[in-house]
Amino acid sequence: MSIGAAGAGGVVGGGEAPHVLAVDDSSVDRAVIAGILRSSQFRVTAVDSGKRALELLGSEPNVSMIITDYWMPEMTGYELLKKVKESSKLKKIPVVIMSSENVPTRISRCLEEGAEDFLLKPMRPSDVSRLFSRMLP
Amino acid sequence: MKKSLFDQGYLDEQFCQVEDLQDEASPNFVEEVVTLFLKDSGRLMSNIEQALEKYPRDFNRWDAYMQQLKGSCCSIGASRMKNECMSFRDSCGQGNVEGCMRAFQKVKREHAVLRQKLESYFQLLRQAGATGAATRSIK
């Protein structure tokens, strides 16, 4: 598997593993997050914007979780979260927000809007284990 | 050589987390991530340099760009560079133009040194890999 496959719109892995959609405008962070999820045996699609995430969600029915960065140009992770939760088709998909900044008001706002969790970057494998044991069957 | 990168503070434990993700399915994962980082950080620093010139005293803009760069540094464990990014952001918060300029020069220096050290490190790894393969084939 090469990192390029987890770039602007790449799929890693296969089979029946849960499918996680990772959204981050940073190519470095996408690569690391995809690597962590892959090592935890998840199927990963990594995209670089909220817009691309919504396009994929429109065509890919089997996303088990969305992990999105908070600060992204054009559409923030919070705005993506709102769109997902407003959609009758998508609202049941758990959404996790990541940020490099620990801003309590930001965290509360995301959780109030329906985010399952808020992670501080950099993401670690232990974050993934904790999240997924709680959220995925 | 890797130990000196940690002892001298160029890298921190996050780099080990990235290394732990390398396996048989992704045998070059670390080098690929570092390559992405060097490319991405070069681009971000160029953006900052242009912003410092084109948007005088636009501390919000400068800070926003530097926040992205700092984020990348954190993701791969580029500790010294991250610290200089934070100094820059502190100067932005204080409205200190000279402080920003000084800090940015330090960010650039740390980036250049880190690039050189990481490139040497991966070159050594490749040589060690080639030597190991040659030794195994001789046996």
Side-chain angles (χ1 to χ4, degrees):
Chain A
M1 187 274 301
S2 92
I3 284 183
V11 182
V12 175
E16 296 303 315
H19 183 194
V20 180
L21 175 59
V23 191
D24 202 311
D25 61 311
S26 161
S27 58
V28 177
D29 287 355
R30 278 200 307 278
V32 172
I33 291 161
I36 291 173
L37 291 167
R38 169 185 55 82
S39 73
S40 303
Q41 310 304 318
F42 293 109
R43 204 158 56 97
V44 185
T45 301
V47 298
D48 61 0
S49 69
K51 182 179 169 206
R52 282 194 199 245
L54 290 171
E55 283 168 4
L56 185 124
L57 288 164
S59 59
E60 166 60 65
N62 295 319
V63 170
S64 303
M65 178 176 285
I66 300 166
I67 296 183
T68 178
D69 187 28
Y70 183 89
W71 268 126
M72 295 184 290
E74 295 178 12
M75 186 189 298
T76 65
Y78 176 74
E79 287 161 348
L80 173 60
L81 164 69
K82 280 182 70 172
K83 287 196 186 293
V84 167
K85 295 304 170 186
E86 283 164 5
S87 158
S88 55
K89 193 175 141 211
L90 303 176
K91 64 183 178 185
K92 288 196 175 148
I93 303 175
V95 180
V96 173
I97 311 272
M98 301 176 290
S99 177
S100 55
E101 294 181 310
N102 186 354
V103 180
T105 49
R106 179 185 297 176
I107 296 171
S108 313
R109 200 162 68 119
C110 289
L111 295 175
E112 279 162 21
E113 199 59 46
E116 292 295 329
D117 210 331
F118 194 105
L119 299 179
L120 286 180
K121 285 179 160 186
M123 185 197 254
R124 302 209 162 184
S126 55
D127 292 326
V128 170
S129 311
R130 185 173 55 78
L131 272 180
F132 286 81
S133 62
R134 193 157 45 98
M135 286 182 220
L136 292 181
Chain B
M1 185 189 176
K2 187 170 113 170
K3 188 173 180 306
S4 75
L5 287 170
F6 284 88
D7 290 346
Q8 291 169 31
Y10 289 104
L11 297 176
D12 64 28
E13 196 255 334
Q14 178 64 19
F15 189 81
C16 299
Q17 299 272 341
V18 175
E19 281 190 312
D20 287 346
L21 298 175
Q22 184 157 298
D23 58 17
E24 284 175 4
S26 299
N28 303 310
F29 182 77
V30 182
E31 190 169 0
E32 288 171 2
V33 171
V34 167
T35 302
L36 277 174
F37 166 75
L38 291 173
K39 184 178 165 192
D40 196 49
S41 54
R43 177 185 62 83
L44 289 169
M45 289 193 312
S46 176
N47 288 347
I48 294 167
E49 192 138 44
Q50 286 176 32
L52 289 171
E53 193 177 335
K54 279 172 72 172
Y55 303 102
R57 300 190 69 82
D58 191 342
F59 296 106
N60 286 341
R61 186 188 296 265
W62 298 356
D63 183 71
Y65 279 132
M66 189 56 80
Q67 184 187 351
Q68 292 180 55
L69 181 57
K70 183 199 148 212
S72 283
C73 293
C74 285
S75 292
I76 71 148
S79 181
R80 279 170 68 144
M81 199 173 149
K82 177 192 77 177
N83 290 340
E84 298 304 344
C85 292
M86 286 164 65
S87 294
F88 180 98
R89 296 191 73 200
D90 286 342
S91 292
C92 284
Q94 294 156 13
N96 180 352
V97 172
E98 278 218 21
C100 287
M101 298 299 180
R102 274 197 302 271
F104 184 58
Q105 292 309 312
K106 289 184 181 174
V107 169
K108 282 170 46 172
R109 267 200 302 276
E110 288 298 338
H111 183 263
V113 170
L114 182 61
R115 171 191 288 274
Q116 182 253 318
K117 286 186 181 291
L118 286 171
E119 285 173 352
S120 300
Y121 171 62
F122 287 116
Q123 193 168 12
L124 277 173
L125 283 181
R126 281 192 287 271
Q127 284 169 359
T131 305
T135 305
R136 283 189 297 274
S137 74
I138 286 169
K139 284 181 183 168

